Amino acid sequence: MCRPPASGIWLLTNLLLHILGLSCTTASFGPQPETTVLTPGSIPIDTDGNQVHAHGGALIEMDGIFFWYGTSQKQPPGWLSTDINLYSSEDLAEWRNEGSIFNWQSIVGMPTGPPYRIERPKIIWCEEFHYWVLWFHLDLPSFGYPAVGVAKAETLQGPFDFVQVFKPDGRSSFDMTLFQDDDDTAYLVRSVENSFLGITKLAPNYLGLEGGICAQTPFQAEAPAVFKHGPSSYWILSSHLTGWAPNPPLLWHANSSEGLCGTSWYLMPQPATGPGSETTWDSQSTAVFPYQTEDGRELLMYLGDRWNAAGPGGVAQAGYVWLPLIPTAAPSQVILADS
Ligand code: DGJ
């Protein structure tokens, strides 16, 4: 197994080595490869020469093309995004702007008109009904109406048509994500009243929910990113609640033959080690992307936002931190870095 030192940059480079299909032995700790997919904390420049703004989003791979989506540049006051943007790439390094796939003007059913808070969009494909669904945290700028928004589109390029806004179980819903299991069962994982992460199955058409909360974490967390590692081993990477300021990651685990439901979620030991791990290398989780190497291995990529609240330009200049997640020898542990 590759044992990288605890440097975000080195870890990112190590990620690239994996992507290039080179082994850790080949990589050594010497000169690094010229290509870097993303310098930690930076904002990539797209093929039109503009900053890539895709915050709180995720990656989708389709027919050898990577799609990166997320919220548009956040603006003061309150750091609000008007749109959800889409970018495409063949190598995770050069990004083409595919435009806005959703705009807040199409939202109906909120107590007041725009501006709104649109955060943490997540998109999955509904095979049964042949459309893409987009779910996101929809709120008033003041966080005074914490809900989820749902939209759908026939193509990933959109535009996504707004379907509904609602508060699951009638309760406040803050940070959220979607998870789609191998059998296409999909789940909403969201911060319920900022008190715990609650999990609910999506209805078969993915446009609403089926039933109430079927499992939950024992205490509060936000910024959930769900992944599977092994046939019945589920994980939620998340953060503490400190606004736009970074904090250490929280890792939850469940062993279940019934997906994310019907099981208890346990907090794992601190999953990140080394300098910078106390702030998750100045980032907050948004997704975990299962990158498939050419030789059929899976590399789990941590995708995080560096919100830059205290930096020049504030959250409008938020960057991105992508790191490999490294499974340890122990089957029930996954770590962010290794010292
Ligand atoms: C933390 C959340 O994870 C972000 O999405 C955002 O809502 C900030 N809080 C706002 O302070």
Side-chain angles (χ1 to χ4, degrees):
M1 171 175 295
C2 203
R3 311 296 285 181
S7 143
I9 292 174
W10 197 93
L11 283 167
L12 186 75
T13 310
N14 185 47
L15 165 63
L16 183 70
L17 292 173
H18 279 281
I19 288 172
L20 293 176
L22 304 176
S23 73
C24 291
T25 324
T26 319
S28 78
F29 296 91
Q32 304 302 323
E34 283 176 25
T35 342
T36 300
V37 293
L38 190 143
T39 303
S42 69
I43 307 177
I45 301 300
D46 68 19
T47 51
D48 296 327
N50 300 315
Q51 290 183 329
V52 171
H53 287 288
H55 309 284
L59 290 174
I60 290 173
E61 194 266 330
M62 219 177 9
D63 301 328
I65 307 289
F66 298 95
F67 292 91
W68 182 6
Y69 64 87
T71 52
S72 59
Q73 185 169 28
K74 294 188 187 286
Q75 304 288 352
W79 304 124
L80 304 179
S81 301
T82 57
D83 289 83
I84 295 169
N85 291 335
L86 181 72
Y87 296 85
S88 62
S89 172
E90 288 175 13
D91 58 6
L92 291 170
E94 190 173 273
W95 292 98
R96 191 177 112 88
N97 187 356
E98 302 276 346
S100 165
I101 56 173
F102 184 79
N103 178 272
W104 69 13
Q105 293 293 351
S106 65
I107 293 171
V108 289
M110 287 290 279
T112 60
Y116 299 127
R117 183 172 294 280
I118 295 175
E119 292 189 351
R120 301 189 173 273
K122 296 295 175 297
I123 297 175
I124 55 175
W125 169 251
C126 181
E127 177 62 27
E128 192 176 340
F129 293 89
H130 277 253
Y131 48 66
W132 294 92
V133 296
L134 160 69
W135 287 55
F136 53 93
H137 172 196
L138 173 56
D139 213 326
L140 296 177
S142 61
F143 288 96
Y145 194 82
V148 293
V150 182
K152 72 180 173 77
E154 285 178 12
T155 67
L156 189 52
Q157 285 78 5
F160 278 76
D161 297 323
F162 191 70
V163 175
Q164 66 160 330
V165 51
F166 71 110
K167 293 187 182 180
D169 306 310
R171 302 173 77 171
S172 298
S173 180
F174 292 90
D175 283 7
M176 54 133 284
T177 194
L178 296 179
F179 176 71
Q180 189 173 30
D181 212 338
D182 303 329
D183 64 358
D184 276 354
T185 306
Y187 303 85
L188 170 68
V189 179
R190 84 279 189 187
S191 169
V192 180
E193 296 167 352
N194 276 339
S195 299
F196 59 89
L197 292 176
I199 299 168
T200 305
K201 273 187 191 169
L202 264 57
N205 66 7
Y206 291 0
L207 298 177
L209 296 175
E210 185 176 270
I213 295 170
C214 64
Q216 66 184 72
T217 57
F219 55 87
Q220 63 174 199
E222 65 179 11
V226 184
F227 60 101
K228 195 173 182 179
H229 186 62
S232 54
S233 188
Y234 297 92
W235 303 81
I236 303 175
L237 195 56
S238 62
S239 76
H240 299 266
L241 281 65
T242 54
W244 299 110
N247 58 58
L250 290 168
L251 184 65
W252 308 88
H253 181 234
N255 257 319
S256 167
S257 55
E258 299 172 45
L260 303 192
C261 294
T263 185
S264 297
W265 285 84
Y266 295 101
L267 184 64
M268 298 302 290
Q270 176 52 247
T273 60
S277 59
E278 67 285 354
T279 62
T280 320
W281 294 278
D282 195 356
S283 73
Q284 189 182 31
S285 42
T286 180
V288 172
F289 177 68
Y291 178 87
Q292 306 295 325
T293 63
E294 277 178 13
D295 59 358
R297 287 172 299 131
E298 183 178 84
L299 173 70
L300 294 170
M301 286 168 57
Y302 161 86
L303 309 184
D305 295 286
R306 180 169 293 178
W307 292 124
N308 189 49
V315 181
Q317 287 300 306
Y320 314 92
V321 175
W322 292 358
L323 298 170
L325 282 167
I326 303 166
T328 61
S332 63
Q333 264 198 299
V334 175
I335 58 173
L336 264 184
D338 195 354
S339 47

